[in-house]
Amino acid sequence: MSGIIIENLNVWFGKGRDRVDAVKNASLSVELGQSFGLVGESGSGKSTILKALTGLAPDWSGKMSVQDVTLGKKRDQEFFRTVQMVFQDPYASLHPRHSVDQLLTETLMLHGKTDVNARIMRLLDDVGLGPTFRFRYPHQLSGGQRQRVAIARALASEPRVLLLDEPTSALDVSVQAEILNLLTDLRAEHKLTYLMVSHDLAVVGHMCDESAVMQHGEIVEMLKTEDLRRGHAEHPYTKHLLESSAGYISE
Ligand code: ADP
Ligand code: MG
């Protein structure tokens, strides 16, 4: 079975003179269990690729499939059981008046899970939060703890694929590595496939097996992580990105 395949994807917003071609003729494939990075400056179309996959960008052409299922215009519940997203801003993505317990209970019920109690305890443990976090509210959590809760919510449906949109960009630098390490551990433990957006080459160099470099809506270069670590790049824009993150890409 394949993981994620995207072929000749075009995504646009608006029409006529207001049309923005956010993604142009992008192709990539992510094998099952692989971690793939999308890197590039702000506005280069990275998030739009994730939006197109999840059905949040209605105007697109090309071909997309996840686990051999070809995607049409609508996504069904089975898709959202298999594919979950983690967003950049854990402050905006958690309902302020719902406790961690409420949030996870609702999500588990939505996906038809029974033994909710045991599952909540396991999810909290999976993301490195103890049982005392269960009855807390978002305002009682740090940014890193909120992102752990958002990751627990994403894991509740027992997905195969996580789409991660700059999952650490809103966090303090000191917390970013903790969350990236957690994501690395979870991928191994839960045999997950990742498609991860970052504007930071060091982050995808640390997290991903392969990355696509985007500029102005196009994929300008594909890089294996060995290439990144050795500083091998062909495209001038990738070279520029490599220079600006020199010294930060490591094992
Ligand atoms: P990135 O995630 O790489 O920062 P995005 O995928 O968010 O970039 O955006 C790519 C381009 O598409 C940008 O020019 C952005 O302004 C435009 N865009 C994104 N979402 C919308 C939208 N809902 N309506 C109009 N333009 C959009
Ligand atoms: Mg983005």
Side-chain angles (χ1 to χ4, degrees):
M1 189 159 50
S2 60
I4 302 169
I5 299 178
I6 294 177
E7 282 168 16
N8 306 114
L9 178 68
N10 294 286
V11 188
W12 60 96
F13 296 103
K15 43 185 165 192
R17 286 198 313 181
D18 295 329
R19 173 168 163 151
V20 177
D21 289 287
V23 174
K24 294 176 249 179
N25 204 34
S27 300
L28 61 89
S29 68
V30 190
E31 282 168 40
L32 275 187
Q34 205 192 8
S35 175
F36 192 100
L38 285 173
V39 68
E41 68 203 25
S42 177
S44 57
K46 308 181 297 294
S47 297
T48 300
I49 289 189
L50 301 192
K51 281 186 195 155
L53 277 167
T54 53
L56 292 171
D59 295 319
W60 59 275
S61 66
K63 194 175 169 217
M64 298 189 282
S65 70
V66 175
Q67 295 201 130
D68 297 340
V69 177
T70 301
L71 303 180
K73 287 288 166 204
K74 293 250 162 68
R75 306 287 171 271
D76 57 13
Q77 200 180 355
E78 176 59 17
F79 176 87
F80 288 110
R81 194 191 67 71
T82 311
V83 181
Q84 281 285 315
M85 256 191 94
V86 177
F87 298 95
Q88 173 173 3
D89 188 353
Y91 294 88
S93 68
L94 302 182
H95 191 297
R97 285 189 298 280
H98 287 187
S99 68
V100 172
D101 180 70
Q102 280 171 290
L103 173 91
L104 294 177
T105 301
E106 272 168 24
T107 310
L108 287 163
M109 307 265 283
L110 181 74
H111 290 287
K113 303 291 185 196
T114 51
D115 58 342
V116 166
N117 197 40
R119 281 180 187 268
I120 290 177
M121 301 309 273
R122 204 177 323 139
L123 286 168
L124 288 175
D125 186 58
D126 278 345
V127 298
L129 294 174
T132 56
F133 285 89
R134 180 166 174 181
F135 296 103
R136 297 219 189 149
Y137 287 84
H139 72 268
Q140 298 170 311
L141 303 173
S142 69
Q145 289 164 349
R146 284 177 197 222
Q147 201 57 313
R148 287 174 193 268
V149 172
I151 294 166
R153 174 179 56 191
L155 294 175
S157 67
E158 299 179 276
R160 310 301 332 140
V161 175
L162 288 191
L163 306 178
L164 302 150
D165 196 348
E166 310 234 20
T168 62
S169 304
L171 304 176
D172 289 344
V173 177
S174 60
V175 185
Q176 289 183 5
E178 274 179 30
I179 299 294
L180 294 175
N181 290 335
L182 170 68
L183 288 168
T184 299
D185 293 346
L186 289 171
R187 180 161 72 97
E189 280 162 28
H190 296 258
K191 302 195 170 39
L192 295 164
T193 303
Y194 284 177
L195 179 55
M196 177 168 172
V197 165
S198 178
H199 61 272
D200 188 340
L201 215 49
V203 168
V204 298
H206 179 72
M207 291 286 293
C208 301
D209 307 309
E210 190 177 3
S211 299
V213 180
M214 293 192 71
Q215 188 185 29
H216 310 315
E218 289 177 290
I219 293 178
V220 295
E221 188 160 10
M222 292 282 187
L223 292 167
K224 297 273 184 200
T225 294
E226 304 92 81
D227 300 328
L228 269 181
R229 292 190 180 141
R230 294 197 194 104
H232 287 182
E234 298 290 331
H235 194 278
Y237 177 63
T238 314
K239 288 183 178 164
H240 162 75
L241 281 180
L242 270 173
E243 276 158 21
S244 38
S245 64
Y248 294 101
I249 300 171
S250 60
E251 292 296 320

